């Protein structure tokens, strides 16, 4: 089941018994898939969104950035620079030419979310208060976020260790 919001530019590229591929150029869609993983894929200007059997919302803004929220199941975001698996209850974005963001749970504190995105955008300039925010506000379910953050380029050894020991 797919619902498109008004003004959405969506195109069906291919369909068959084992896969369905769409292109979302702009706008917002809500998708509910009850099929084996990988059967439904949505190409965006930023990269590809591969359903792994779930319900998700996907929006593409005027600049071509894709914003994903997963309601149930998992979704894989894939760009030319890498991929990121996003679990239910989390969100992430991707832009062309960059790796997708790491998933952050929607119910995380806003200060935690801001610290995650600051570390992602410029790991070399992240300050101690941001690292403290991440390590102090992380809940057990945020382990996936911290694990993926610890692997981004530009992090120093002490920061990696702090994230992994949380």
């Amino acid at each position: 089941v797919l619902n498109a919001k008004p003004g959405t530019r969506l195109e069906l590229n291919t369909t068959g018994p084992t896969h369905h591929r769409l292109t979302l150029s702009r706008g917002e869609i809500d998708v509910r898939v009850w099929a084996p993983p990988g059967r439904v894929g949505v190409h965006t200007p930023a990269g590809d969104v591969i359903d792994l059997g779930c319900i998700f919302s996907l929006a593409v803004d005027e600049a071509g950035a894709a914003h994903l929220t997963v309601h149930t199941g998992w979704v894989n975001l894939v760009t030319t620079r890498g991929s990121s698996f996003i679990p239910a209850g989390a969100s992430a974005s991707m832009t062309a030419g960059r790796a997708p963001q790491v998933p952050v749970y929607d119910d995380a504190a806003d200060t935690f979310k801001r610290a995650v995105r600051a570390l992602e955008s410029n790991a070399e300039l992240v300050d101690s208060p941001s690292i403290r925010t991440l390590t102090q506000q992380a809940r057990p379910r945020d382990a996936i976020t911290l694990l993926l953050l610890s692997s981004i380029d530009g992090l120093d050894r002490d920061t990696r260790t702090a994230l992994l020991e949380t």
Side-chain angles (χ1 to χ4, degrees), residues 21-91:
R21 297 295 182 254
L22 305 150
T23 296
L24 176 62
S25 304
R26 186 180 67 236
E28 187 176 341
I29 58 174
D30 293 316
V31 180
R32 179 181 302 236
V33 178
W34 302 111
R39 294 268 173 116
V40 175
V42 181
H43 178 73
T44 73
D48 295 320
V49 177
I50 308 299
D51 165 70
L52 300 176
C54 64
I55 300 172
F56 64 92
S57 297
L58 177 64
V60 174
D61 63 24
E62 295 294 324
H67 309 282
L68 172 78
T69 298
V70 181
H71 306 291
T72 67
W74 289 75
V75 172
N76 188 13
L77 297 180
V78 181
T79 71
T80 57
R81 301 293 303 262
S83 66
S84 186
F85 289 95
I86 315 303
S91 296

